[in-house]
Amino acid sequence: MRRLCVTLFATGLCALAVSPIAALAGASSRNLPPPDPTAKNLTPYMISLRAFDACLIVQSRLQGTTREAVHTPCSCYAKLAVKNLSKEELDAFRATGYFNDSARQKALEALDSCKLPRPPLG
């Protein structure tokens, strides 16, 4: 879970999910955990599920609300963030389990588009 959150927050949202790890849009690439070997064969859909789970955790904590309350905007975020990734960014995610710098920028833009607050830079 911790790895998922980093991946997700590295992807656009971390502090979060199952074990805060996977997708923090605002995370710095300098403070990321070691690569996640479970990400190697993930499809774009599976990556979006990780981003969605991370979003639910991070945004509910960030906004002080329930996961149900952020379900729709997090669904928007996860779909948009992954849809906008290039093949190279998807491959980089599979190699590490988190978003690289260019993918993180796209994840931040997806947060903005889906009207979710950006997490504090860590």
Side-chain angles (χ1 to χ4, degrees), residues 6 11 48 60 70 76 108 120:
V6 167
T11 130
S48 71
S60 64
V70 295
C76 169
L108 287 169

Side-chain angles (χ1 to χ4, degrees), residues 1 3-5 7 12 17 19 21 23 26-28 42 44 47 51 53-54 59 61 63 69 78 84 90 104 120-121:
M1 226 9 178
R3 199 160 270 192
L4 172 61
C5 178
T7 298
S19 162
I21 273 192
S28 165
L42 294 177
I47 294 169
D53 288 341
Q59 289 293 326
R61 289 180 186 169
Q63 297 182 41
N84 290 333
L90 287 169
R104 236 182 332 276
L121 296 178

